[in-house]
Amino acid sequence: MAVENRLKEHQDMLDCVSDLVWMTDMNLWFTYVSPSVEYLLGYTAEEALRLNSGLTLAEESLQRLATAFSEGLRAADRGDRAWKTVLPVEQFHRDGRRLNGELLLVLRRNNEGEAVGFIGVTHFALQRAFPQ
């Protein structure tokens, strides 16, 4: 029961995050996308899970991300357990708007330490109206 409670707490936390949190497998297909994807990019989490991780990126950002993925895989081959990088990204909202953000990319490992994908946290500098 304690494990189930901890998982529920983690999910509750992720449901409240306004940044886009995601995970991929080694083929770069999403395995998790936080619910904030709907507010940020216009896709439900279920729709986003059916997308390849690069489909909503502008070409230059896609190239930067591909380079970062390659660097992460080389780091995994070297046994580097602490590899991460931050890069600027431009993504397209479902309605065509361009959003500029910053992506923290971390190599995801299983319990045996083997690389199994990536974790990303994308922060968009959005203008928001807050109550006075």
Side-chain angles (χ1 to χ4, degrees):
M1 201 55 130
V3 172
E4 290 175 5
N5 288 341
R6 180 65 102 202
L7 290 173
K8 172 83 169 91
E9 289 173 357
H10 286 142
Q11 187 60 52
D12 289 346
M13 179 189 64
L14 288 169
D15 288 349
C16 294
V17 172
S18 60
D19 289 342
L20 179 57
V21 179
W22 49 269
M23 293 190 302
T24 70
D25 60 19
M26 291 302 284
N27 295 315
L28 310 181
W29 286 93
F30 288 123
T31 59
Y32 174 82
V33 179
S34 63
S36 60
V37 70
E38 189 162 6
Y39 169 75
L40 294 168
L41 298 178
Y43 296 95
T44 67
E46 293 77 25
E47 289 171 324
L49 283 171
R50 293 191 296 267
L51 299 174
N52 184 279
S53 57
L55 288 180
T56 64
L57 291 171
E59 184 62 34
E60 186 176 302
S61 294
L62 183 58
Q63 290 172 359
R64 273 195 298 270
L65 186 60
T67 299
F69 282 143
S70 295
E71 290 171 2
L73 295 174
R74 283 194 301 278
D77 289 343
R78 291 190 310 270
D80 182 350
R81 298 184 60 79
W83 183 88
K84 62 184 167 189
T85 192
V86 176
L87 54 145
V89 293
E90 182 179 36
Q91 283 192 270
F92 295 105
H93 187 279
R94 185 179 209 153
D95 67 11
R97 285 181 290 144
R98 291 174 176 254
L99 303 171
N100 292 307
E102 184 176 75
L103 168 62
L104 168 65
L105 187 65
V106 179
L107 193 60
R108 186 166 62 106
R109 296 180 176 276
N110 63 16
N111 291 338
E112 290 76 42
E114 301 165 326
V116 295
F118 291 90
I119 297 172
V121 179
T122 308
H123 174 77
F124 296 102
L126 301 174
Q127 292 182 345
R128 296 186 182 146
F130 291 99
Q132 300 285 336

